[in-house]
């Protein structure tokens, strides 16, 4: 069974441009999460999508946005790129159960390394 | 203070040694994850715990909910175990919240 896939592997942009990163979850998973790992910093939660809707958002400016498509794949868009947006962007997917208290394991993709020049 | 603290930050050991990485957290959680990140960035989920202990091969993860502490152990360590190990928790404060809060990671180097 295919795991979480992300594209592109590497992306080079210049300041002010827009970047679009893509993620395909594991088949059957409805939740997609985006995380940022900037150089020297730990992983930071960006966005959580489930069933096509944004469910939660981390402490990032509005120029970080995304969407989830009917097939549960997802896009992360970063507008007006800044140098500090250079980072590894990781996507993860999981099943989401209705009952609370049930943790759901997240499976990570290989990441997209974004470099802003 | 970070909600998730790991120790040590860096650990170098010889092949065959028993390795312990610790994780303490300050929030109520519904689950704790141990992740492995190799050079190049890819992350593999090793364990998801909400209580007790789990074992997979040479890896063992334990969690003490009362003490808000978890440990990851590696027995008979091998150079291919060299990676960054990350502890992450899912807070139980927000109903339905699925986001993970991460520790800063422990960089493990196993020398042959």
């Amino acid at each position: 069974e295919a795991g979480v896939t992300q594209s592109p592997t590497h992306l080079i942009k210049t300041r002010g441009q827009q970047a679009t990163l893509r993620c395909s979850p594991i088949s059957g998973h409805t939740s997609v999460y985006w995380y940022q790992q900037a150089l020297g910093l730990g992983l930071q939660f960006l966005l959580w999508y489930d069933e096509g809707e944004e469910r939660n958002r981390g402490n990032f400016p509005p120029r970080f946005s995304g969407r989830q498509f009917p097939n549960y794949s997802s896009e992360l868009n970063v507008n007006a790129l800044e140098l500090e947006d250079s980072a590894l962007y990781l996507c993860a997917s999981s099943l989401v159960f209705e009952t609370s208290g049930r943790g759901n394991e997240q499976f990570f993709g290989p990441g997209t390394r974004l470099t802003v020049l | 203070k970070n909600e998730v603290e790991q120790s040590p930050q860096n650990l170098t050991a010889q092949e065959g040694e028993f390795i312990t990485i610790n994780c303490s957290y300050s929030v109520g959680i519904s689950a704790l994850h141990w992740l492995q990140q190799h050079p190049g960035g890819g992350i593999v989920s090793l364990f998801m715990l909400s209580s007790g202990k789990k074992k997979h091969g040479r890896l063992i993860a334990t969690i003490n909910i009362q003490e808000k502490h978890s440990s990851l152990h590696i027995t008979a360590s091998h150079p291919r175990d060299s990676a960054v190990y990350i502890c992450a928790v899912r807070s139980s404060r927000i109903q339905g919240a699925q986001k993970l809060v991460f520790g800063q990671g422990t960089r493990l180097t196993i020398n042959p």
Side-chain angles (χ1 to χ4, degrees), chain A residues 33 35 37 43 45 48 90 103-106 108, chain B residues 37 41 43 45 48 90 96 98-100 102 104:
Chain A
Y33 315 81
Y35 298 94
Q37 187 177 43
L43 281 154
F45 167 74
W48 168 34
L90 288 157
N104 291 288
E105 188 167 8
Q106 294 183 19
F108 287 81
Chain B
Q37 186 174 30
I43 287 186
S45 177
M48 185 181 73
R90 181 178 301 114
Q98 295 290 322
K99 73 171 188 178
L100 295 177
F102 298 88
Q104 287 296 93

mmCIF file with all atom_site columns, all heavy atoms in Angstrom, chain A residues 33 35 37 43 45 48 90 103-106 108, chain B residues 37 41 43 45 48 90 96 98-100 102 104:
data_model
loop_
_atom_site.group_PDB
_atom_site.id
_atom_site.type_symbol
_atom_site.label_atom_id
_atom_site.label_alt_id
_atom_site.label_comp_id
_atom_site.label_asym_id
_atom_site.label_entity_id
_atom_site.label_seq_id
_atom_site.pdbx_PDB_ins_code
_atom_site.Cartn_x
_atom_site.Cartn_y
_atom_site.Cartn_z
_atom_site.occupancy
_atom_site.B_iso_or_equiv
_atom_site.pdbx_formal_charge
_atom_site.auth_seq_id
_atom_site.auth_comp_id
_atom_site.auth_asym_id
_atom_site.auth_atom_id
_atom_site.pdbx_PDB_model_num
ATOM 1   N N   . TYR A 1 33  ? -2.517  16.693 7.589  1.00 0.00 ? 33  TYR A N   1
ATOM 2   C CA  . TYR A 1 33  ? -1.869  17.686 8.448  1.00 0.00 ? 33  TYR A CA  1
ATOM 3   C C   . TYR A 1 33  ? -0.640  18.223 7.734  1.00 0.00 ? 33  TYR A C   1
ATOM 4   O O   . TYR A 1 33  ? 0.067   17.479 7.053  1.00 0.00 ? 33  TYR A O   1
ATOM 5   C CB  . TYR A 1 33  ? -1.409  17.040 9.762  1.00 0.00 ? 33  TYR A CB  1
ATOM 6   C CG  . TYR A 1 33  ? -2.436  16.143 10.395 1.00 0.00 ? 33  TYR A CG  1
ATOM 7   C CD1 . TYR A 1 33  ? -2.609  14.840 9.955  1.00 0.00 ? 33  TYR A CD1 1
ATOM 8   C CD2 . TYR A 1 33  ? -3.238  16.601 11.438 1.00 0.00 ? 33  TYR A CD2 1
ATOM 9   C CE1 . TYR A 1 33  ? -3.547  14.006 10.529 1.00 0.00 ? 33  TYR A CE1 1
ATOM 10  C CE2 . TYR A 1 33  ? -4.183  15.766 12.023 1.00 0.00 ? 33  TYR A CE2 1
ATOM 11  C CZ  . TYR A 1 33  ? -4.337  14.470 11.558 1.00 0.00 ? 33  TYR A CZ  1
ATOM 12  O OH  . TYR A 1 33  ? -5.275  13.651 12.126 1.00 0.00 ? 33  TYR A OH  1
ATOM 13  N N   . TYR A 1 35  ? 2.982   20.369 8.478  1.00 0.00 ? 35  TYR A N   1
ATOM 14  C CA  . TYR A 1 35  ? 3.920   20.814 9.498  1.00 0.00 ? 35  TYR A CA  1
ATOM 15  C C   . TYR A 1 35  ? 5.089   21.507 8.824  1.00 0.00 ? 35  TYR A C   1
ATOM 16  O O   . TYR A 1 35  ? 5.469   21.178 7.695  1.00 0.00 ? 35  TYR A O   1
ATOM 17  C CB  . TYR A 1 35  ? 4.456   19.626 10.308 1.00 0.00 ? 35  TYR A CB  1
ATOM 18  C CG  . TYR A 1 35  ? 3.400   18.863 11.068 1.00 0.00 ? 35  TYR A CG  1
ATOM 19  C CD1 . TYR A 1 35  ? 2.808   17.733 10.521 1.00 0.00 ? 35  TYR A CD1 1
ATOM 20  C CD2 . TYR A 1 35  ? 3.000   19.276 12.335 1.00 0.00 ? 35  TYR A CD2 1
ATOM 21  C CE1 . TYR A 1 35  ? 1.833   17.030 11.223 1.00 0.00 ? 35  TYR A CE1 1
ATOM 22  C CE2 . TYR A 1 35  ? 2.030   18.565 13.042 1.00 0.00 ? 35  TYR A CE2 1
ATOM 23  C CZ  . TYR A 1 35  ? 1.455   17.453 12.474 1.00 0.00 ? 35  TYR A CZ  1
ATOM 24  O OH  . TYR A 1 35  ? 0.486   16.762 13.167 1.00 0.00 ? 35  TYR A OH  1
ATOM 25  N N   . GLN A 1 37  ? 9.170   22.503 9.362  1.00 0.00 ? 37  GLN A N   1
ATOM 26  C CA  . GLN A 1 37  ? 10.399  22.313 10.140 1.00 0.00 ? 37  GLN A CA  1
ATOM 27  C C   . GLN A 1 37  ? 11.453  23.249 9.562  1.00 0.00 ? 37  GLN A C   1
ATOM 28  O O   . GLN A 1 37  ? 12.116  22.946 8.574  1.00 0.00 ? 37  GLN A O   1
ATOM 29  C CB  . GLN A 1 37  ? 10.874  20.875 10.085 1.00 0.00 ? 37  GLN A CB  1
ATOM 30  C CG  . GLN A 1 37  ? 12.049  20.588 11.022 1.00 0.00 ? 37  GLN A CG  1
ATOM 31  C CD  . GLN A 1 37  ? 12.450  19.123 11.005 1.00 0.00 ? 37  GLN A CD  1
ATOM 32  O OE1 . GLN A 1 37  ? 12.513  18.508 9.948  1.00 0.00 ? 37  GLN A OE1 1
ATOM 33  N NE2 . GLN A 1 37  ? 12.737  18.556 12.168 1.00 0.00 ? 37  GLN A NE2 1
ATOM 34  N N   . LEU A 1 43  ? 9.658   20.815 14.737 1.00 0.00 ? 43  LEU A N   1
ATOM 35  C CA  . LEU A 1 43  ? 8.460   20.746 13.919 1.00 0.00 ? 43  LEU A CA  1
ATOM 36  C C   . LEU A 1 43  ? 7.361   21.610 14.520 1.00 0.00 ? 43  LEU A C   1
ATOM 37  O O   . LEU A 1 43  ? 7.132   21.587 15.724 1.00 0.00 ? 43  LEU A O   1
ATOM 38  C CB  . LEU A 1 43  ? 7.974   19.298 13.835 1.00 0.00 ? 43  LEU A CB  1
ATOM 39  C CG  . LEU A 1 43  ? 8.739   18.412 12.859 1.00 0.00 ? 43  LEU A CG  1
ATOM 40  C CD1 . LEU A 1 43  ? 8.652   16.962 13.271 1.00 0.00 ? 43  LEU A CD1 1
ATOM 41  C CD2 . LEU A 1 43  ? 8.195   18.615 11.464 1.00 0.00 ? 43  LEU A CD2 1
ATOM 42  N N   . PHE A 1 45  ? 3.234   22.729 13.999 1.00 0.00 ? 45  PHE A N   1
ATOM 43  C CA  . PHE A 1 45  ? 1.958   22.423 13.347 1.00 0.00 ? 45  PHE A CA  1
ATOM 44  C C   . PHE A 1 45  ? 1.477   23.625 12.541 1.00 0.00 ? 45  PHE A C   1
ATOM 45  O O   . PHE A 1 45  ? 1.469   24.764 13.035 1.00 0.00 ? 45  PHE A O   1
ATOM 46  C CB  . PHE A 1 45  ? 0.923   22.049 14.403 1.00 0.00 ? 45  PHE A CB  1
ATOM 47  C CG  . PHE A 1 45  ? -0.488  22.006 13.898 1.00 0.00 ? 45  PHE A CG  1
ATOM 48  C CD1 . PHE A 1 45  ? -0.921  20.964 13.103 1.00 0.00 ? 45  PHE A CD1 1
ATOM 49  C CD2 . PHE A 1 45  ? -1.375  23.026 14.207 1.00 0.00 ? 45  PHE A CD2 1
ATOM 50  C CE1 . PHE A 1 45  ? -2.228  20.928 12.643 1.00 0.00 ? 45  PHE A CE1 1
ATOM 51  C CE2 . PHE A 1 45  ? -2.678  22.999 13.750 1.00 0.00 ? 45  PHE A CE2 1
ATOM 52  C CZ  . PHE A 1 45  ? -3.106  21.950 12.961 1.00 0.00 ? 45  PHE A CZ  1
ATOM 53  N N   . TRP A 1 48  ? -4.604  21.557 9.754  1.00 0.00 ? 48  TRP A N   1
ATOM 54  C CA  . TRP A 1 48  ? -5.239  20.251 9.756  1.00 0.00 ? 48  TRP A CA  1
ATOM 55  C C   . TRP A 1 48  ? -6.499  20.332 8.924  1.00 0.00 ? 48  TRP A C   1
ATOM 56  O O   . TRP A 1 48  ? -7.351  21.186 9.166  1.00 0.00 ? 48  TRP A O   1
ATOM 57  C CB  . TRP A 1 48  ? -5.557  19.802 11.185 1.00 0.00 ? 48  TRP A CB  1
ATOM 58  C CG  . TRP A 1 48  ? -6.450  18.604 11.280 1.00 0.00 ? 48  TRP A CG  1
ATOM 59  C CD1 . TRP A 1 48  ? -6.505  17.534 10.440 1.00 0.00 ? 48  TRP A CD1 1
ATOM 60  C CD2 . TRP A 1 48  ? -7.426  18.362 12.299 1.00 0.00 ? 48  TRP A CD2 1
ATOM 61  N NE1 . TRP A 1 48  ? -7.461  16.641 10.878 1.00 0.00 ? 48  TRP A NE1 1
ATOM 62  C CE2 . TRP A 1 48  ? -8.032  17.102 12.005 1.00 0.00 ? 48  TRP A CE2 1
ATOM 63  C CE3 . TRP A 1 48  ? -7.843  19.063 13.431 1.00 0.00 ? 48  TRP A CE3 1
ATOM 64  C CZ2 . TRP A 1 48  ? -9.031  16.553 12.814 1.00 0.00 ? 48  TRP A CZ2 1
ATOM 65  C CZ3 . TRP A 1 48  ? -8.834  18.510 14.235 1.00 0.00 ? 48  TRP A CZ3 1
ATOM 66  C CH2 . TRP A 1 48  ? -9.424  17.270 13.919 1.00 0.00 ? 48  TRP A CH2 1
ATOM 67  N N   . LEU A 1 90  ? 6.315   19.110 5.931  1.00 0.00 ? 90  LEU A N   1
ATOM 68  C CA  . LEU A 1 90  ? 5.895   17.721 6.032  1.00 0.00 ? 90  LEU A CA  1
ATOM 69  C C   . LEU A 1 90  ? 4.386   17.627 6.067  1.00 0.00 ? 90  LEU A C   1
ATOM 70  O O   . LEU A 1 90  ? 3.703   18.414 6.724  1.00 0.00 ? 90  LEU A O   1
ATOM 71  C CB  . LEU A 1 90  ? 6.484   17.089 7.294  1.00 0.00 ? 90  LEU A CB  1
ATOM 72  C CG  . LEU A 1 90  ? 7.992   16.836 7.225  1.00 0.00 ? 90  LEU A CG  1
ATOM 73  C CD1 . LEU A 1 90  ? 8.593   16.763 8.607  1.00 0.00 ? 90  LEU A CD1 1
ATOM 74  C CD2 . LEU A 1 90  ? 8.285   15.560 6.466  1.00 0.00 ? 90  LEU A CD2 1
ATOM 75  N N   . GLY A 1 103 ? -6.818  8.150  20.137 1.00 0.00 ? 103 GLY A N   1
ATOM 76  C CA  . GLY A 1 103 ? -5.717  8.734  19.374 1.00 0.00 ? 103 GLY A CA  1
ATOM 77  C C   . GLY A 1 103 ? -5.600  8.078  18.013 1.00 0.00 ? 103 GLY A C   1
ATOM 78  O O   . GLY A 1 103 ? -5.873  6.897  17.864 1.00 0.00 ? 103 GLY A O   1
ATOM 79  N N   . ASN A 1 104 ? -5.212  8.846  17.031 1.00 0.00 ? 104 ASN A N   1
ATOM 80  C CA  . ASN A 1 104 ? -5.049  8.310  15.688 1.00 0.00 ? 104 ASN A CA  1
ATOM 81  C C   . ASN A 1 104 ? -3.643  8.557  15.198 1.00 0.00 ? 104 ASN A C   1
ATOM 82  O O   . ASN A 1 104 ? -3.185  9.691  15.156 1.00 0.00 ? 104 ASN A O   1
ATOM 83  C CB  . ASN A 1 104 ? -6.064  8.958  14.752 1.00 0.00 ? 104 ASN A CB  1
ATOM 84  C CG  . ASN A 1 104 ? -7.471  8.525  15.072 1.00 0.00 ? 104 ASN A CG  1
ATOM 85  O OD1 . ASN A 1 104 ? -7.855  7.409  14.830 1.00 0.00 ? 104 ASN A OD1 1
ATOM 86  N ND2 . ASN A 1 104 ? -8.229  9.417  15.675 1.00 0.00 ? 104 ASN A ND2 1
ATOM 87  N N   . GLU A 1 105 ? -2.993  7.491  14.790 1.00 0.00 ? 105 GLU A N   1
ATOM 88  C CA  . GLU A 1 105 ? -1.609  7.596  14.377 1.00 0.00 ? 105 GLU A CA  1
ATOM 89  C C   . GLU A 1 105 ? -1.494  8.370  13.080 1.00 0.00 ? 105 GLU A C   1
ATOM 90  O O   . GLU A 1 105 ? -2.268  8.154  12.146 1.00 0.00 ? 105 GLU A O   1
ATOM 91  C CB  . GLU A 1 105 ? -1.017  6.203  14.217 1.00 0.00 ? 105 GLU A CB  1
ATOM 92  C CG  . GLU A 1 105 ? 0.477   6.193  13.974 1.00 0.00 ? 105 GLU A CG  1
ATOM 93  C CD  . GLU A 1 105 ? 1.060   4.808  14.139 1.00 0.00 ? 105 GLU A CD  1
ATOM 94  O OE1 . GLU A 1 105 ? 0.294   3.854  14.293 1.00 0.00 ? 105 GLU A OE1 1
ATOM 95  O OE2 . GLU A 1 105 ? 2.303   4.706  14.111 1.00 0.00 ? 105 GLU A OE2 1
ATOM 96  N N   . GLN A 1 106 ? -0.535  9.261  13.047 1.00 0.00 ? 106 GLN A N   1
ATOM 97  C CA  . GLN A 1 106 ? -0.280  10.042 11.845 1.00 0.00 ? 106 GLN A CA  1
ATOM 98  C C   . GLN A 1 106 ? 0.899   9.432  11.102 1.00 0.00 ? 106 GLN A C   1
ATOM 99  O O   . GLN A 1 106 ? 1.923   9.103  11.697 1.00 0.00 ? 106 GLN A O   1
ATOM 100 C CB  . GLN A 1 106 ? -0.002  11.504 12.191 1.00 0.00 ? 106 GLN A CB  1
ATOM 101 C CG  . GLN A 1 106 ? -1.215  12.199 12.788 1.00 0.00 ? 106 GLN A CG  1
ATOM 102 C CD  . GLN A 1 106 ? -0.985  13.657 13.070 1.00 0.00 ? 106 GLN A CD  1
ATOM 103 O OE1 . GLN A 1 106 ? -0.078  14.285 12.537 1.00 0.00 ? 106 GLN A OE1 1
ATOM 104 N NE2 . GLN A 1 106 ? -1.828  14.237 13.922 1.00 0.00 ? 106 GLN A NE2 1
ATOM 105 N N   . PHE A 1 108 ? 3.643   10.034 8.088  1.00 0.00 ? 108 PHE A N   1
ATOM 106 C CA  . PHE A 1 108 ? 4.266   11.188 7.464  1.00 0.00 ? 108 PHE A CA  1
ATOM 107 C C   . PHE A 1 108 ? 4.754   10.887 6.054  1.00 0.00 ? 108 PHE A C   1
ATOM 108 O O   . PHE A 1 108 ? 5.191   9.771  5.748  1.00 0.00 ? 108 PHE A O   1
ATOM 109 C CB  . PHE A 1 108 ? 5.457   11.672 8.308  1.00 0.00 ? 108 PHE A CB  1
ATOM 110 C CG  . PHE A 1 108 ? 5.041   12.372 9.570  1.00 0.00 ? 108 PHE A CG  1
ATOM 111 C CD1 . PHE A 1 108 ? 4.672   11.657 10.692 1.00 0.00 ? 108 PHE A CD1 1
ATOM 112 C CD2 . PHE A 1 108 ? 5.000   13.758 9.630  1.00 0.00 ? 108 PHE A CD2 1
ATOM 113 C CE1 . PHE A 1 108 ? 4.276   12.288 11.855 1.00 0.00 ? 108 PHE A CE1 1
ATOM 114 C CE2 . PHE A 1 108 ? 4.610   14.403 10.792 1.00 0.00 ? 108 PHE A CE2 1
ATOM 115 C CZ  . PHE A 1 108 ? 4.243   13.669 11.898 1.00 0.00 ? 108 PHE A CZ  1
ATOM 116 N N   . GLN B 2 37  ? 13.449  10.578 12.518 1.00 0.00 ? 37  GLN B N   1
ATOM 117 C CA  . GLN B 2 37  ? 13.733  11.384 11.335 1.00 0.00 ? 37  GLN B CA  1
ATOM 118 C C   . GLN B 2 37  ? 15.167  11.165 10.911 1.00 0.00 ? 37  GLN B C   1
ATOM 119 O O   . GLN B 2 37  ? 16.109  11.499 11.629 1.00 0.00 ? 37  GLN B O   1
ATOM 120 C CB  . GLN B 2 37  ? 13.479  12.873 11.595 1.00 0.00 ? 37  GLN B CB  1
ATOM 121 C CG  . GLN B 2 37  ? 13.633  13.726 10.347 1.00 0.00 ? 37  GLN B CG  1
ATOM 122 C CD  . GLN B 2 37  ? 13.241  15.168 10.572 1.00 0.00 ? 37  GLN B CD  1
ATOM 123 O OE1 . GLN B 2 37  ? 13.375  15.690 11.672 1.00 0.00 ? 37  GLN B OE1 1
ATOM 124 N NE2 . GLN B 2 37  ? 12.734  15.808 9.535  1.00 0.00 ? 37  GLN B NE2 1
ATOM 125 N N   . GLY B 2 41  ? 15.273  14.196 5.974  1.00 0.00 ? 41  GLY B N   1
ATOM 126 C CA  . GLY B 2 41  ? 14.018  14.722 6.492  1.00 0.00 ? 41  GLY B CA  1
ATOM 127 C C   . GLY B 2 41  ? 12.872  13.764 6.669  1.00 0.00 ? 41  GLY B C   1
ATOM 128 O O   . GLY B 2 41  ? 11.955  14.059 7.410  1.00 0.00 ? 41  GLY B O   1
ATOM 129 N N   . ILE B 2 43  ? 10.186  11.292 7.881  1.00 0.00 ? 43  ILE B N   1
ATOM 130 C CA  . ILE B 2 43  ? 9.803   10.928 9.244  1.00 0.00 ? 43  ILE B CA  1
ATOM 131 C C   . ILE B 2 43  ? 9.047   9.618  9.232  1.00 0.00 ? 43  ILE B C   1
ATOM 132 O O   . ILE B 2 43  ? 8.137   9.414  8.418  1.00 0.00 ? 43  ILE B O   1
ATOM 133 C CB  . ILE B 2 43  ? 8.954   12.034 9.890  1.00 0.00 ? 43  ILE B CB  1
ATOM 134 C CG1 . ILE B 2 43  ? 9.837   13.237 10.225 1.00 0.00 ? 43  ILE B CG1 1
ATOM 135 C CG2 . ILE B 2 43  ? 8.238   11.527 11.127 1.00 0.00 ? 43  ILE B CG2 1
ATOM 136 C CD1 . ILE B 2 43  ? 9.137   14.330 10.981 1.00 0.00 ? 43  ILE B CD1 1
ATOM 137 N N   . SER B 2 45  ? 6.862   7.051  11.801 1.00 0.00 ? 45  SER B N   1
ATOM 138 C CA  . SER B 2 45  ? 6.209   6.911  13.095 1.00 0.00 ? 45  SER B CA  1
ATOM 139 C C   . SER B 2 45  ? 6.620   5.580  13.711 1.00 0.00 ? 45  SER B C   1
ATOM 140 O O   . SER B 2 45  ? 6.412   4.523  13.110 1.00 0.00 ? 45  SER B O   1
ATOM 141 C CB  . SER B 2 45  ? 4.689   6.982  12.932 1.00 0.00 ? 45  SER B CB  1
ATOM 142 O OG  . SER B 2 45  ? 4.053   6.780  14.167 1.00 0.00 ? 45  SER B OG  1
ATOM 143 N N   . MET B 2 48  ? 2.794   4.876  18.789 1.00 0.00 ? 48  MET B N   1
ATOM 144 C CA  . MET B 2 48  ? 1.772   5.754  19.345 1.00 0.00 ? 48  MET B CA  1
ATOM 145 C C   . MET B 2 48  ? 1.291   5.104  20.634 1.00 0.00 ? 48  MET B C   1
ATOM 146 O O   . MET B 2 48  ? 0.907   3.938  20.637 1.00 0.00 ? 48  MET B O   1
ATOM 147 C CB  . MET B 2 48  ? 0.602   5.956  18.391 1.00 0.00 ? 48  MET B CB  1
ATOM 148 C CG  . MET B 2 48  ? -0.417  6.956  18.897 1.00 0.00 ? 48  MET B CG  1
ATOM 149 S SD  . MET B 2 48  ? -1.803  7.169  17.784 1.00 0.00 ? 48  MET B SD  1
ATOM 150 C CE  . MET B 2 48  ? -2.681  5.626  18.030 1.00 0.00 ? 48  MET B CE  1
ATOM 151 N N   . ARG B 2 90  ? -0.411  14.621 21.522 1.00 0.00 ? 90  ARG B N   1
ATOM 152 C CA  . ARG B 2 90  ? -1.689  15.171 21.088 1.00 0.00 ? 90  ARG B CA  1
ATOM 153 C C   . ARG B 2 90  ? -2.418  15.600 22.334 1.00 0.00 ? 90  ARG B C   1
ATOM 154 O O   . ARG B 2 90  ? -2.731  14.784 23.196 1.00 0.00 ? 90  ARG B O   1
ATOM 155 C CB  . ARG B 2 90  ? -2.506  14.154 20.320 1.00 0.00 ? 90  ARG B CB  1
ATOM 156 C CG  . ARG B 2 90  ? -3.835  14.725 19.831 1.00 0.00 ? 90  ARG B CG  1
ATOM 157 C CD  . ARG B 2 90  ? -4.623  13.720 19.031 1.00 0.00 ? 90  ARG B CD  1
ATOM 158 N NE  . ARG B 2 90  ? -3.895  13.272 17.870 1.00 0.00 ? 90  ARG B NE  1
ATOM 159 C CZ  . ARG B 2 90  ? -3.467  12.034 17.710 1.00 0.00 ? 90  ARG B CZ  1
ATOM 160 N NH1 . ARG B 2 90  ? -3.684  11.129 18.640 1.00 0.00 ? 90  ARG B NH1 1
ATOM 161 N NH2 . ARG B 2 90  ? -2.802  11.696 16.621 1.00 0.00 ? 90  ARG B NH2 1
ATOM 162 N N   . GLY B 2 96  ? -11.462 16.969 19.959 1.00 0.00 ? 96  GLY B N   1
ATOM 163 C CA  . GLY B 2 96  ? -11.325 16.739 18.527 1.00 0.00 ? 96  GLY B CA  1
ATOM 164 C C   . GLY B 2 96  ? -10.015 17.225 17.949 1.00 0.00 ? 96  GLY B C   1
ATOM 165 O O   . GLY B 2 96  ? -9.737  17.014 16.777 1.00 0.00 ? 96  GLY B O   1
ATOM 166 N N   . GLN B 2 98  ? -6.450  17.337 16.689 1.00 0.00 ? 98  GLN B N   1
ATOM 167 C CA  . GLN B 2 98  ? -5.584  16.263 16.236 1.00 0.00 ? 98  GLN B CA  1
ATOM 168 C C   . GLN B 2 98  ? -4.153  16.724 16.036 1.00 0.00 ? 98  GLN B C   1
ATOM 169 O O   . GLN B 2 98  ? -3.303  15.940 15.667 1.00 0.00 ? 98  GLN B O   1
ATOM 170 C CB  . GLN B 2 98  ? -6.116  15.694 14.908 1.00 0.00 ? 98  GLN B CB  1
ATOM 171 C CG  . GLN B 2 98  ? -7.470  15.012 15.025 1.00 0.00 ? 98  GLN B CG  1
ATOM 172 C CD  . GLN B 2 98  ? -7.369  13.719 15.797 1.00 0.00 ? 98  GLN B CD  1
ATOM 173 O OE1 . GLN B 2 98  ? -6.414  12.980 15.671 1.00 0.00 ? 98  GLN B OE1 1
ATOM 174 N NE2 . GLN B 2 98  ? -8.361  13.455 16.624 1.00 0.00 ? 98  GLN B NE2 1
ATOM 175 N N   . LYS B 2 99  ? -3.874  18.003 16.254 1.00 0.00 ? 99  LYS B N   1
ATOM 176 C CA  . LYS B 2 99  ? -2.531  18.470 15.970 1.00 0.00 ? 99  LYS B CA  1
ATOM 177 C C   . LYS B 2 99  ? -1.559  17.917 16.987 1.00 0.00 ? 99  LYS B C   1
ATOM 178 O O   . LYS B 2 99  ? -1.904  17.634 18.135 1.00 0.00 ? 99  LYS B O   1
ATOM 179 C CB  . LYS B 2 99  ? -2.482  19.995 15.986 1.00 0.00 ? 99  LYS B CB  1
ATOM 180 C CG  . LYS B 2 99  ? -2.587  20.617 17.362 1.00 0.00 ? 99  LYS B CG  1
ATOM 181 C CD  . LYS B 2 99  ? -2.305  22.106 17.293 1.00 0.00 ? 99  LYS B CD  1
ATOM 182 C CE  . LYS B 2 99  ? -2.203  22.714 18.683 1.00 0.00 ? 99  LYS B CE  1
ATOM 183 N NZ  . LYS B 2 99  ? -1.882  24.150 18.623 1.00 0.00 ? 99  LYS B NZ  1
ATOM 184 N N   . LEU B 2 100 ? -0.343  17.734 16.557 1.00 0.00 ? 100 LEU B N   1
ATOM 185 C CA  . LEU B 2 100 ? 0.733   17.253 17.418 1.00 0.00 ? 100 LEU B CA  1
ATOM 186 C C   . LEU B 2 100 ? 1.592   18.427 17.870 1.00 0.00 ? 100 LEU B C   1
ATOM 187 O O   . LEU B 2 100 ? 1.822   19.370 17.130 1.00 0.00 ? 100 LEU B O   1
ATOM 188 C CB  . LEU B 2 100 ? 1.604   16.248 16.673 1.00 0.00 ? 100 LEU B CB  1
ATOM 189 C CG  . LEU B 2 100 ? 0.934   14.931 16.252 1.00 0.00 ? 100 LEU B CG  1
ATOM 190 C CD1 . LEU B 2 100 ? 1.910   14.077 15.456 1.00 0.00 ? 100 LEU B CD1 1
ATOM 191 C CD2 . LEU B 2 100 ? 0.424   14.173 17.467 1.00 0.00 ? 100 LEU B CD2 1
ATOM 192 N N   . PHE B 2 102 ? 5.407   19.024 19.277 1.00 0.00 ? 102 PHE B N   1
ATOM 193 C CA  . PHE B 2 102 ? 6.635   18.258 19.171 1.00 0.00 ? 102 PHE B CA  1
ATOM 194 C C   . PHE B 2 102 ? 7.687   18.706 20.175 1.00 0.00 ? 102 PHE B C   1
ATOM 195 O O   . PHE B 2 102 ? 7.792   19.889 20.514 1.00 0.00 ? 102 PHE B O   1
ATOM 196 C CB  . PHE B 2 102 ? 7.223   18.425 17.767 1.00 0.00 ? 102 PHE B CB  1
ATOM 197 C CG  . PHE B 2 102 ? 6.342   17.914 16.675 1.00 0.00 ? 102 PHE B CG  1
ATOM 198 C CD1 . PHE B 2 102 ? 5.391   18.742 16.103 1.00 0.00 ? 102 PHE B CD1 1
ATOM 199 C CD2 . PHE B 2 102 ? 6.464   16.616 16.204 1.00 0.00 ? 102 PHE B CD2 1
ATOM 200 C CE1 . PHE B 2 102 ? 4.570   18.289 15.094 1.00 0.00 ? 102 PHE B CE1 1
ATOM 201 C CE2 . PHE B 2 102 ? 5.649   16.152 15.192 1.00 0.00 ? 102 PHE B CE2 1
ATOM 202 C CZ  . PHE B 2 102 ? 4.702   16.990 14.631 1.00 0.00 ? 102 PHE B CZ  1
ATOM 203 N N   . GLN B 2 104 ? 11.876  18.964 20.824 1.00 0.00 ? 104 GLN B N   1
ATOM 204 C CA  . GLN B 2 104 ? 12.921  19.484 19.952 1.00 0.00 ? 104 GLN B CA  1
ATOM 205 C C   . GLN B 2 104 ? 13.733  18.366 19.296 1.00 0.00 ? 104 GLN B C   1
ATOM 206 O O   . GLN B 2 104 ? 14.506  18.632 18.384 1.00 0.00 ? 104 GLN B O   1
ATOM 207 C CB  . GLN B 2 104 ? 13.868  20.390 20.745 1.00 0.00 ? 104 GLN B CB  1
ATOM 208 C CG  . GLN B 2 104 ? 13.258  21.728 21.105 1.00 0.00 ? 104 GLN B CG  1
ATOM 209 C CD  . GLN B 2 104 ? 12.931  22.561 19.888 1.00 0.00 ? 104 GLN B CD  1
ATOM 210 O OE1 . GLN B 2 104 ? 11.820  22.531 19.367 1.00 0.00 ? 104 GLN B OE1 1
ATOM 211 N NE2 . GLN B 2 104 ? 13.898  23.297 19.399 1.00 0.00 ? 104 GLN B NE2 1
#
